[in-house]
Every structure is written in C-alpha cells, then in structure tokens.
Amino acid sequence: MKKTIKKLISLGLAVSMAAALSACGSSSGPSPTTSETTAAAGSDAAAENTGAKILRVAAVDPQVAYDMQQYTYSLIMKVTDNVVESLLTTQDGGKVVPTLLAKEPELSDDMLTYSFELIDGVKFHNGETLKSSDVKYSLERVVKKQSMGSLLEKVEGYEALADGSANELTGIKVIDDTHFTITLSEVYTPFVSVLSTPYCGIYPAEACEAAGDNWGKTELIGTGPFKFDSYTPGVGVEISKFDGYYGNVPKLDGVSYKFIEDANTQVLEYQKGNIDYVDVETNMYPVYQADPKLKDQMHMFQPIGGYYMTFNVKSVSDPKIRQAISMSINRQAICESIFHGTAKPSSSFIPAGIIGHDDSLEEFAYDPEGAKALLAEAGYANGYDLRLTVNTKYATSIPIATAFQEQAKAAGINVTIEQVDSAAWSDMRKSGGVDAGVGNWYVDYNDPDSMLYPVSDSRTDRSSSFWHNEEFKKLMEAGVQTSDEAERQEIYVKAEHILSREDYAIAPIYNESKCYLLNPKITGLVMDSTFRNFYANADFQQ
C-alpha cells in the first residue's frame, strides 16, 4: 500500500516567510510572488522597434559553466531557472508541486521508496523525449560532479557512486520510459523538496554526455519554457522562447542577459532604457530611493538566509580564536553604514521563518575587549593575523571585509583581505585554501536541513572548512528522521548553539533584504525568497 506525500511536503517547503515583492519605501506594492506595476514611466524595450518581446536583464559573467550541478551561484540560476526544470517545484507559500511529473510521488509505508510517473511526451529543446533514464542520469551526475552531490546522500548506493566504486545510484530503478522509483537508505523527510532544487534539474543524457566540458558553455538543454541560445563570455547570454514547451508557451520571445560588471553602470544602463531588470546593491539603496524617477520602480524581496564568515578549522583551529573573531565584527555598524537599514544583524545562522530559529537569542555583540582577552587565553596576547578571502563577484563582500578589517583592529586582529574571482574562489574552497572567507547561503527549500547544508558533515571538507562535530552530526541526522515540528525545533536549536555559539565554526553577520529595479511595463515576473527567477509568465504591457 502506498500513500501520497502531501503531509511530508510541508516539511521542506520553500517559503513560509512571504517573499514580499513590495516597492521599497512604499506602503503598497505588487503581490508576494509577482511584480506587476502599472506606472507608465520607465525604459522602453528595445524590442518594441522590432516587434519582438525581449526582456533585458543586467547580469555579471560567472566565468564558469551555466551548470547548477557544478556551480551553485545565483548568477547562474537566473538563467538556468528558465531553461532547465526539476521534477518538482517549490512554490512561494510552501507547496511542492509536480513539474515534470504526472502526479505527486507515492511513498511506501516504510517511508523509504518513492514512486514517480513522468508526464508523457515532454520534449527537451533538442527534440528528444524526456525519459526515466534521463532522470536517473541527471541525478547520478549530481553525485559525480560532487558540488551538491550530498543532497542525494540518503539515496541507496550514494556512497559507492560518490567514492567511484560504482557507476550508478542503485536506489534509482527505471521501470519504463515514464515510471521509476527512488529508494532511500534511511528515512529523510525533506527528500521531495530536495528534488525541487535547481541542482536536481533534468538533462537529456545523451546530449549532456556528448557535450562534455562544453555543457553549460556552448550547449545547455532542458525542458524549460526557454531554450539556451548562446553564452558569450564578457558579453552575455541569450535564451529564446521554446515553442515546443509542454506547458503554456511564454509570452516573451526571449531574455537577453547583458554582462555589465559594475553595479553602478548597470543602473545607468537601466536609466538610459537599455535594461529592464537590474539588481540593486543595498549600499546604493539611499541614492536610488531618493531619485524620484527610480523610487517607484524599486522593489524588495526577503531571501531566507544571509551572510556569514567562514573558518578553516585547520588553520584557525582554536574555538577561542574563532569566537574572538566573531566578537570583533560590529554587525550593527555594517548594517547601518553599508546596507542603510535593509539588513539586520544576525542572532543565529538559522534565520527567522524556518524551524530551528531561536527567537530568544540576542544579536551577536561587538566586544573587542572581550575578544582581546580570548586571544590572550589562546596565546595571542600580542595580536592575531588573519587572511580573509572574498569572492569579487559578490560586490557586498568587499565592503563587509573592509569594514571588518578596521573593526578588528580594536581587538588586535590584523586582517589581510584577499580578493579573488569566482573560479579561483571555487578552486580555493575545494582545495582548502581559504583560511577565513565572507560567504552567503540561502535556502533552496524552507527547511533547516537546507539552511545547514553548507556546514553538514559531508560538505565541510569541500568548502575549506573541515569542521566536524559528532553531536552536531547526530542532531542533523535526527532532524530529518522525524516529522514532528516541535521535536525538530528542539533538535535544530541545539544544533545552532553548537555551530555558532559553542564551536564558532562560522560567524553569522547579517540577514538582508534585496532590492531590484524593474521596468514598469513588465508584468508577471516571478521572484521568490529562494532566489528563483521565473520569466515564463512575464510580459510587456502595451
């Protein structure tokens, strides 16, 4: 006897906090999930002269392949969300719904085996029909590429595939072209939500394998509403409407992502009418909010996650030193001077809005004298030298690091800032070359297991952290074995304490709101608090 997974779906959902896409500084605005404005002002779409509806998006070149199974940048996801689809989608408001599936998966009574049925006749952009074998290939590729492979560590056969002793996930069984099962090695209540993440996007097996290292560069094929036309390094990405889409064919003819490295230049191009959508760095929020021509075109959403400082516990091995570094961060000053009220100092790594957040915790205090004392206890009475690495593709990381560099002097911490590009950042994290870094993480689905993913036991050796704590590991395992919300809350509160207030494996800094400018003629653009951007229903007002 099998049962549908409706009850389990509520455990790993994408947003109980509303992703309020309201106009910044305004008491009224669009709905929580779509930006729909009616103002007549704004840039004219260049495509109006040709009759084509092309949405122009300011972007930054990630300098790596557009492949979420290898790289987890939100810069990449802005494109791939519209080209590649997963089996399910997590909607704003918390519901996981079938995307490529004919119906919700069914779950066996022992809660270990999920049965799936694909929609019959779904086409990839190359004309091939989606089959169960493509699903098996794609999920096995997630494990082989390693970056996000541990998402599937509960699937039978994961360890053997991950260590190279096997060439398949034995837990995935293909029954026929539209039916397959996935069996877990142990109960994992958020599993269906895991399958809704962009990392579990489904690729056509033969085409992906044939493309090799060019996948995500010269070729990217999915089942999404838009097809991947080109990626030109330093120039941009072009995607166009897929007329063979099994769902509602997009109203837009295409989306043009234009690489503009400088954030201020992006806004200038928006003001000139050359761009329809641009993310706004929060340190520039007061400037643009004061501009009468821009303030009503500015929108805000609240992502679930935040920025934090990472530590390599091999090179920063003493918890007292890590605590001292955390105490040397003036979070309130960073939020006020850099983010102008659009961010709040963190009190924990697990943010408000998901299970495991402890409302009783106070914000981490700035206490340079206390930090000095801890450093003296650790044998560094004369000061401590710290190399802090930042990825320059995330512009806010640099002012955060610079502010901390100055703040830490009061505690006797001498900070050297190392700026690297995305490719170097990825390589250094994999090789253990980052002593301390400024990072960010946002949930892929509204569950503490997703929020704690970057510090999970199977992940830290791949992110230049190397932190392992047996009690934390056991709590993480217990948290996904139960569906009782109160029990999970207690488990994750304990895990949080170990992570950020006992071992100080990380130092949470702030939780933010994000702003962007949108051409008022654009309707139906969907953005949510997991950083998913969907343009299938976007359109230009006439």
Side-chain angles (χ1 to χ4, degrees):
M1 179 179 176
K2 296 181 178 179
K3 52 190 174 183
T4 59
I5 53 159
K6 289 182 179 178
K7 291 184 179 179
L8 290 180
I9 279 175
S10 64
L11 296 172
L13 306 174
V15 193
S16 62
M17 291 173 62
L21 296 172
S22 54
C24 293
S26 172
S27 60
S28 62
S31 69
T33 57
T34 61
S35 296
E36 298 188 9
T37 56
T38 57
S43 62
D44 291 331
E48 288 181 359
N49 295 326
T50 64
K53 295 180 179 180
I54 306 296
L55 175 68
R56 300 158 303 163
V57 177
V60 174
D61 190 345
Q63 300 175 342
V64 293
Y66 279 84
D67 181 2
M68 289 296 290
Q69 294 182 0
Q70 294 195 74
Y71 305 101
T72 62
Y73 307 144
S74 58
L75 302 171
I76 295 173
M77 192 164 61
K78 283 181 180 292
V79 174
T80 60
D81 268 345
N82 297 283
V83 175
V84 179
E85 294 178 312
S86 302
L87 295 172
L88 303 105
T89 300
T90 306
Q91 296 179 329
D92 237 10
K95 187 177 182 181
V96 179
V97 298
T99 305
L100 296 173
L101 301 175
K103 59 182 180 179
E104 290 180 351
E106 294 181 337
L107 180 59
S108 61
D109 289 337
D110 62 5
M111 298 177 68
L112 291 176
T113 299
Y114 296 77
S115 298
F116 300 84
E117 180 182 352
L118 293 172
I119 297 173
D120 190 25
V122 172
K123 297 294 184 182
F124 286 108
H125 302 146
N126 63 353
E128 296 294 322
T129 301
L130 168 67
K131 301 186 295 294
S132 298
S133 56
D134 297 308
V135 176
K136 181 176 173 67
Y137 168 84
S138 299
L139 298 183
E140 289 174 346
R141 187 176 184 271
V142 176
V143 177
K144 292 176 181 178
K145 292 300 181 182
Q146 297 185 340
S147 179
M148 298 299 290
S150 58
L151 279 175
L152 300 174
E153 65 184 354
K154 305 302 183 187
V155 177
E156 280 189 354
Y158 168 82
E159 291 292 343
L161 180 60
D163 66 21
S165 61
N167 58 11
E168 68 166 334
L169 271 176
T170 56
I172 303 179
K173 300 293 186 184
V174 172
I175 299 172
D176 57 35
D177 283 351
T178 57
H179 295 84
F180 61 97
T181 62
I182 300 179
T183 300
L184 307 185
S185 56
E186 59 187 82
V187 174
Y188 182 67
T189 52
F191 181 66
V192 171
S193 294
V194 166
L195 296 179
S196 76
T197 65
Y199 317 113
C200 294
I202 307 303
Y203 298 148
E206 291 185 10
C208 182
E209 197 66 18
D213 291 341
N214 287 323
W215 191 255
K217 297 177 180 177
T218 61
E219 191 169 4
L220 178 66
I221 298 169
T223 58
F226 294 90
K227 57 184 180 178
F228 187 83
D229 294 328
S230 66
Y231 162 44
T232 306
V235 178
V237 171
E238 302 293 328
I239 65 176
S240 61
K241 174 173 62 178
F242 177 42
D243 290 323
Y245 187 56
Y246 64 96
N248 294 326
V249 176
K251 299 172 184 177
L252 296 176
D253 292 297
V255 182
S256 178
Y257 300 85
K258 301 182 181 299
F259 293 155
I260 305 172
E261 295 296 313
D262 180 70
N264 293 328
T265 304
Q266 288 184 352
V267 176
L268 288 174
E269 289 300 303
Y270 177 88
Q271 291 174 299
K272 292 176 183 177
N274 298 326
I275 293 293
D276 301 305
Y277 173 102
V278 58
D279 291 310
V280 174
E281 295 296 339
T282 46
N283 61 329
M284 294 302 296
Y285 168 77
V287 176
Y288 302 138
Q289 182 63 18
D291 187 327
K293 295 182 179 179
L294 294 180
K295 66 178 183 178
D296 292 331
Q297 299 173 33
M298 192 176 288
H299 304 268
M300 181 177 284
F301 72 99
Q302 179 72 56
I304 300 180
Y307 270 74
Y308 59 100
M309 190 173 295
T310 66
F311 299 119
N312 183 327
V313 300
K314 289 184 177 180
S315 53
V316 189
S317 58
D318 192 331
K320 289 182 179 179
I321 296 175
R322 300 195 294 267
Q323 182 180 1
I325 294 170
S326 181
M327 293 166 67
S328 302
I329 306 171
N330 191 334
R331 295 163 173 83
Q332 186 63 45
I334 287 173
C335 290
E336 291 176 356
S337 64
I338 299 176
F339 301 104
H340 309 286
T342 63
K344 295 181 179 180
S346 296
S347 62
S348 60
F349 185 66
I350 299 175
I354 58 176
I355 293 170
H357 177 72
D358 187 348
D359 292 332
S360 69
L361 293 177
E362 296 182 356
E363 296 169 0
F364 293 94
Y366 176 55
D367 184 4
E369 291 304 316
K372 266 186 180 180
L374 283 173
L375 288 174
E377 290 178 26
Y380 292 91
N382 296 323
Y384 184 81
D385 296 331
L386 180 70
R387 177 172 60 98
L388 182 65
T389 306
V390 296
N391 184 347
T392 56
K393 286 302 174 185
Y394 292 95
T396 53
S397 296
I398 299 171
I400 292 168
T402 302
F404 169 67
Q405 183 181 48
E406 187 63 30
Q407 295 164 359
K409 291 178 181 178
I413 300 175
N414 307 305
V415 180
T416 300
I417 300 173
E418 179 181 38
Q419 299 184 30
V420 299
D421 62 21
S422 290
W425 171 259
S426 296
D427 290 342
M428 290 176 68
R429 278 165 54 86
K430 290 178 182 177
S431 65
V434 177
D435 292 338
V438 176
N440 58 38
W441 186 261
Y442 304 90
V443 296
D444 297 304
Y445 48 94
N446 191 20
D447 192 275
D449 194 62
S450 176
M451 188 64 213
L452 293 173
Y453 176 77
V455 293
S456 60
D457 196 70
S458 60
R459 178 73 178 174
T460 54
D461 287 351
R462 299 179 183 139
S463 60
S464 198
S465 166
F466 305 105
W467 178 69
H468 298 279
N469 180 290
E470 192 61 30
E471 184 180 0
F472 181 86
K473 179 182 178 181
K474 289 179 179 177
L475 289 167
M476 288 283 285
E477 291 170 349
V480 297
Q481 293 278 333
T482 178
S483 58
D484 184 274
E485 188 169 318
E487 187 177 347
R488 298 188 88 215
Q489 173 69 16
E490 183 179 351
I491 288 169
Y492 286 110
V493 164
K494 290 179 181 177
E496 168 74 46
H497 182 80
I498 294 169
L499 173 68
S500 64
R501 293 178 181 265
E502 184 177 310
D503 270 11
Y504 291 88
I506 56 170
I509 302 175
Y510 67 88
N511 305 106
E512 65 191 323
S513 295
K514 287 287 192 180
C515 290
Y516 62 92
L517 288 164
L518 180 68
N519 178 350
K521 294 185 177 181
I522 303 297
T523 63
L525 184 148
V526 175
M527 192 123 175
D528 70 21
S529 58
T530 59
F531 276 104
R532 308 298 296 272
N533 294 51
F534 299 105
Y535 303 146
N537 295 319
D539 199 3
F540 284 93
Q541 286 184 343
Q542 298 301 319

